[in-house]
Amino acid sequence: MTDLGKRILIALGGNAIKQAHEKGTYEEQLRNVEKTAAQLAKLVQRGYHLAITHGNGPQVGALLIQQEEGQRLGIPPQPMDVCGAMTQGQIGYMLQQALMNEFRKIGLDKLAATVVTRVLVRKDDPDFQDPSKPVGPFYDEETAKKLAEERGWVIKKVKPNADKPYRRVVPSPDPIRPLEADAIKKLYDSGIIVIASGGGGIPVIEEDGKIKGVEAVIDKDLAGERMAEVLGVDIFMILTDVEKVKLNYGKPDEREIDRMTVSEAKKYYEEGHFLPGSMGPKVKACIRFVEEAGGKAAIITHLEKALDALEGKTGTWIVPD
C-alpha cells in the first residue's frame, strides 16, 4: 500500500465515551475512555501523530436536562454554548488523563493537551430555523411526544427500526473555522497530541464587532474536518460504532462499502443513503476533506478497528477520483 503519511486527525464517536445501553455514569464513561486511550496509544506506538476531536451529544444532552431540573431548586440555568464548553472540558480532561496514563504504562514519552475551542458559524445558517443535531438520550414515541409538549423541544426520529428511535434535536450550523486554529496548530506541530474542537466546538458568531456564543451544537465530524484543514493532516479518520459504511441501511439489500471515490460518495449522499443525523455528516465531512482540503484519504470505521483500517484491512475509505 502507498504510504499515506503519519499525520492523522481522529474524530471519536459517542461509543468512545458512552455506550448506547449505558446510563452515562462517570465510572462508565471513564472505563470507555480508558479503552479508547489504549486503542489510540497503539497508533502512536506505530508512529502516527494524532490530533483528536470527539462528540458530546449524550453529555451535553444530559447537562441541558440538569440545567432545566436545577431551576426547580432556584439554580440559574446555563445557556447551551456554555454547556458545550463544560462538556469540552469534561471529556477533554478524561481523554487527556487516560492517554497520559496509557503512555506512562507502555513507556511512551508523549504529551496530550486539551484546547477549549470556539468555532465560528454564520448567524443566518438555515439550521437555526430547522434544527437537525441529535443530543441527549433516545426515547420511545410516547416519551418523545410528552417531552416535546412539556418542554417545547424539537424531537425527530433519528434511528429507524430501533425500540427508542427518537432524540431531541437542536440547531447545528455549518462550521466555518476554529478560532483557536493557530494555537492548536502550534501545539500539534510541536509534537503534542492535541484534543480540540470537542463536541464540534463552542458555536460562536461575529456580531457588531464582537464574538458571541449561540444556542446550538455543531456536528463534531464537520468541525473536525475544518480542524484537519488547519493542521494539514494526511488522513481524516472517523471512529464510530460500525466497521464500514453501508448502502441501503436498514433494508433487505443493505451492503457494506469498502472504498468510495469522492464522486461515488457524493452520488450516494445525494441519493439519500446516509441519514442526516447519523452517517450523513460523517460522509459529508470526508468528502470535504478529500475534495476541498486536498486530503490523501478519509476513513470511517469502528473504534477497535482503527489500526487494521490504517493498514488497509477494513473500514470504508473515501479517496480522490
Side-chain angles (χ1 to χ4, degrees):
M1 175 178 288
T2 304
D3 182 12
L4 289 172
K6 295 289 191 178
R7 292 166 64 92
I8 305 178
L9 188 135
I10 288 183
L12 295 172
N15 65 316
I17 305 157
K18 178 187 175 294
Q19 301 292 324
H21 65 278
E22 294 174 338
K23 292 182 178 179
T25 66
Y26 172 73
E27 290 77 16
E28 287 172 338
Q29 293 184 70
L30 182 61
R31 185 166 59 246
N32 292 327
V33 167
E34 287 174 344
K35 289 180 181 177
T36 297
Q39 294 292 327
L40 297 178
K42 291 178 184 178
L43 305 185
V44 179
Q45 275 186 307
R46 296 294 182 95
Y48 292 101
H49 182 35
L50 309 183
I52 301 166
T53 191
H54 58 80
N56 71 341
Q59 291 77 19
V60 78
L63 187 54
L64 288 168
I65 292 170
Q66 291 170 6
Q67 301 303 305
E68 292 192 6
E69 294 298 319
Q71 291 184 73
R72 299 179 187 180
L73 301 175
I75 301 171
Q78 302 300 307
M80 193 178 294
D81 57 313
V82 173
C83 289
M86 291 164 78
T87 54
Q88 263 201 59
Q90 170 203 349
I91 298 169
Y93 155 65
M94 293 169 72
L95 278 168
Q96 181 177 312
Q97 181 148 288
L99 279 168
M100 293 300 294
N101 283 336
E102 189 66 26
F103 294 156
R104 178 182 292 184
K105 177 175 147 186
I106 61 179
L108 270 180
D109 183 19
K110 275 288 189 179
L111 292 175
T114 300
V115 178
V116 175
T117 313
R118 300 166 299 157
V119 173
L120 188 66
V121 301
R122 292 180 177 84
K123 63 180 179 180
D124 60 352
D125 190 288
D127 219 76
F128 285 113
Q129 277 66 55
D130 184 19
S132 65
K133 179 64 178 174
V135 297
F138 287 87
Y139 302 106
D140 57 39
E141 187 172 4
E142 183 180 349
T143 305
K145 286 181 178 178
K146 183 179 178 183
L147 289 170
E149 291 173 5
E150 290 180 352
R151 301 184 178 179
W153 290 356
V154 179
I155 294 183
K156 295 181 180 179
K157 183 185 283 189
V158 298
K159 199 167 187 179
N161 307 319
D163 292 335
K164 296 181 177 181
Y166 295 91
R167 288 179 86 182
R168 180 188 181 187
V169 291
V170 298
S172 183
D174 201 21
I176 298 172
R177 68 176 185 277
L179 294 187
E180 281 67 38
D182 289 346
I184 295 167
K185 183 164 174 56
K186 284 178 182 176
L187 286 168
Y188 183 72
D189 287 347
S190 72
I192 293 171
I193 294 170
V194 185
I195 303 159
S197 202
I202 304 160
V204 297
I205 61 172
E206 190 165 2
E207 191 172 67
D208 299 326
K210 290 185 178 180
I211 302 295
K212 59 179 287 187
V214 290
E215 296 272 307
V217 173
I218 302 170
D219 181 84
K220 71 102 176 38
D221 297 309
L222 293 175
E225 189 280 327
R226 295 303 191 204
M227 188 168 124
E229 289 183 31
V230 165
L231 298 179
V233 298
D234 304 301
I235 302 170
F236 177 50
M237 187 176 216
I238 297 175
L239 299 180
T240 183
D241 58 356
V242 296
E243 191 168 340
K244 295 181 182 180
V245 177
K246 297 177 180 179
L247 294 181
N248 304 311
Y249 177 70
K251 299 176 181 177
D253 57 346
E254 173 183 288
R255 67 181 177 89
E256 295 179 333
I257 312 170
D258 297 320
R259 192 178 185 89
M260 295 185 282
T261 63
V262 165
S263 293
E264 289 170 335
K266 289 166 78 173
K267 175 177 173 287
Y268 294 144
Y269 184 90
E270 289 163 5
E271 289 174 351
H273 284 280
F274 313 122
L275 295 175
S278 178
M279 192 56 71
K282 293 175 173 54
V283 173
K284 184 177 181 180
C286 291
I287 291 169
R288 279 184 178 177
F289 176 70
V290 177
E291 182 177 49
E292 298 177 18
K296 294 180 179 179
I299 305 170
I300 301 173
T301 194
H302 194 283
L303 171 65
E304 296 177 3
K305 299 289 184 178
L307 188 55
D308 285 344
L310 284 169
E311 293 175 349
K313 297 174 183 176
T314 191
T316 297
W317 286 59
I318 295 90
V319 297
D321 291 329

